[in-house]
Amino acid sequence: MTQRVELATLRDRLAVDEVITDYAVAVDDGDWSLYRSLFTPDGRADYRSAGGIEGDAGSIAAWLAESLQLFSMRQHLIVNRRVRFGTLEQDTGDTARVQADYVNPMRLAADGEGSAAPDFVCGGRYAFGLLRTDEGWRLREVVVQEKWRRLPERTAPAVID
């Protein structure tokens, strides 16, 4: 590989990483305009393994906006990012596939301000498909594969003598 090719690959890798980070920030902050802007016009997401829906970016953003109102705090931690680049014959540009693990602690809104600790935590793996566009790298596909979740602990009712 020439130094020029290595530099271009590094720049692409950083740009793809930025899209993945922006994705997490958009969901955590409830920035649905940013969320939608990260996708290609035909981009889709699939949250069915986590009890959600599958659809285009606009439908998913609306669903997330409604369903995540339950949580006053959300924090996606997306780690172990494995990036692979390629060019597919049917594509008009370069492609990238990213496999990344996630842990997502959240706090239920009903808990109020009393506790800072999350009471709902889930984890799994994302599969991101990206396409280089005239506007830069954009998500064409997001598939969530939830592997585990920890629900809030239920406290036993007090026993009165």
Side-chain angles (χ1 to χ4, degrees):
M1 224 185 257
T2 68
Q3 197 171 25
R4 180 172 284 160
V5 171
E6 288 174 354
L7 180 58
T9 301
L10 180 59
R11 289 177 58 179
D12 282 337
R13 188 176 184 86
L14 289 171
V16 164
D17 190 69
E18 185 174 2
V19 171
I20 304 304
T21 298
D22 285 348
Y23 168 88
V25 170
V27 173
D28 291 344
D29 292 351
D31 188 342
W32 309 119
S33 177
L34 172 60
Y35 181 90
R36 287 187 301 276
S37 75
L38 296 171
F39 284 81
T40 61
D42 63 342
R44 300 187 68 76
D46 184 348
Y47 289 82
R48 291 178 293 184
S49 78
I53 65 170
E54 186 273 337
D56 63 77
S59 299
I60 296 295
W63 172 77
L64 285 170
E66 183 177 330
S67 62
L68 292 180
Q69 287 180 13
L70 294 171
F71 302 100
S72 61
M73 182 276 297
R74 304 181 290 270
Q75 184 179 31
H76 279 75
L77 306 170
I78 301 179
V79 299
N80 301 335
R81 300 174 194 208
R82 176 177 280 162
V83 180
R84 301 290 182 258
F85 292 104
T87 303
L88 301 176
E89 289 178 346
Q90 68 268 23
D91 289 337
T92 58
D94 295 331
T95 63
R97 302 288 308 162
V98 179
Q99 174 184 296
D101 296 327
Y102 71 89
V103 175
N104 185 10
M106 298 182 278
R107 182 175 57 241
L108 291 167
D111 284 354
E113 300 300 318
S115 170
D119 47 21
F120 179 92
V121 182
C122 60
R125 180 165 287 159
Y126 280 111
F128 296 99
L130 295 94
L131 179 68
R132 184 197 314 269
T133 70
D134 291 340
E135 294 80 34
W137 286 96
R138 294 292 182 266
L139 294 166
R140 188 169 51 183
E141 176 185 43
V142 176
V143 178
V144 176
Q145 183 58 52
E146 185 176 87
K147 293 183 175 187
W148 61 272
R149 67 172 53 180
R150 188 190 80 215
L151 300 173
E153 293 182 18
R154 306 254 186 246
T155 56
V159 177
I160 301 175
D161 292 328

